[in-house]
Amino acid sequence: QKIGFWFDAGLKAGVGPSLLINKNIFDDQTYDHQFSNGYGVGAKLGIFYGLYNGINLDVMLNTGTQKFRNEIDPNNYIEHKVTWSTTDLAVLYRLQNEGIYFESGPMFSLVNKVEQEGFEPSDVTEFYAENYTSGVLGFGGYLLGGGQFTLMFGIRAGYAFTDFINDDGQAANYPRAANPQVLESYDTYETTNPLFVQF
């Protein structure tokens, strides 16, 4: 039997590691990255043609974190944490067959707020971009259900292609905050790119 267009809709929730990637900070021996988590909730609408191919439109409210341990001297550390919240809009091609799916596509993130702990000021939204664009890859499958309702599990990863720091943040050397005890200028500027993996 020929199958034409069909639709599905669902609620989503995710949790997993998040990371701010900046080459200068990775190379900086006074900065130690700590394991950090993010999470999100949202909804999706799928538009399919035939059994296998479709487009998913996702809207997610996500929160990411990055924890650092910043060494002032061998016996003195500052715990530094950056937390950012975004509204994420993703348009993903989806291929599914025999209960397994693969998805990929772009995601546009609107930055709602950025905060830090360990340095002042605490609200640092003004130093970060208003939005950034990421590429997303994911895969997963059906756990149970059928017909009108299914429960699914998957893994999704996203990496921002555009800089998370704006011009004011570059001048202030974010995400390494402006603390006279530890702040040193780097020889060259490197972009800061959020990365996440969610289950």
Side-chain angles (χ1 to χ4, degrees):
Q1 181 179 357
K2 184 177 180 180
I3 297 176
F5 283 100
W6 59 280
F7 303 87
D8 71 352
L11 301 177
K12 305 170 66 74
V15 63
S18 56
L19 180 67
L20 291 179
I21 296 180
N22 181 291
K23 183 178 184 302
N24 283 333
I25 293 181
F26 271 118
D27 293 342
D28 188 340
Q29 298 301 308
T30 67
Y31 253 73
D32 182 20
H33 289 71
Q34 307 290 298
F35 182 80
S36 308
N37 265 330
Y39 58 89
V41 295
K44 71 120 179 181
L45 173 66
I47 305 170
F48 290 84
Y49 183 77
L51 288 174
Y52 308 119
N53 296 286
I55 298 293
N56 266 5
L57 308 175
D58 283 14
V59 179
M60 296 288 291
L61 299 175
N62 276 313
T63 298
T65 63
Q66 176 63 73
K67 299 176 183 177
F68 303 100
R69 175 172 286 182
N70 186 200
E71 178 184 333
I72 296 176
D73 58 57
N75 299 312
N76 192 5
Y77 293 89
I78 292 177
E79 300 292 339
H80 182 199
K81 178 182 177 181
V82 179
T83 302
W84 63 99
S85 60
T86 58
T87 301
D88 297 332
L89 311 172
V91 181
L92 305 177
Y93 165 71
R94 189 168 179 125
L95 173 65
Q96 57 186 33
N97 189 14
E98 302 294 334
I100 304 297
Y101 72 84
F102 166 82
E103 60 185 8
S104 67
M107 184 176 76
F108 184 73
S109 297
L110 301 170
V111 178
N112 301 320
K113 193 169 187 179
V114 185
E115 297 178 292
Q116 68 176 0
E117 300 174 23
F119 295 105
E120 295 295 335
S122 59
D123 186 341
V124 291
T125 309
E126 65 180 299
F127 298 112
Y128 288 78
E130 295 181 354
N131 57 74
Y132 57 87
T133 303
S134 303
V136 172
L137 289 173
F139 63 90
Y142 297 93
L143 288 181
L144 55 89
Q148 301 302 310
F149 175 81
T150 57
L151 179 64
M152 305 172 70
F153 175 81
I155 299 173
R156 175 181 289 184
Y159 175 76
F161 297 128
T162 56
D163 196 357
F164 191 27
I165 309 297
N166 64 19
D167 292 341
D168 291 338
Q170 294 178 28
N173 216 3
Y174 277 84
R176 184 175 184 174
N179 184 319
Q181 292 179 290
V182 298
L183 182 62
E184 294 179 2
S185 297
Y186 298 115
D187 292 336
T188 58
Y189 178 75
E190 297 289 345
T191 62
T192 298
N193 305 83
L195 169 73
F196 73 88
V197 178
Q198 283 190 352
F199 301 91

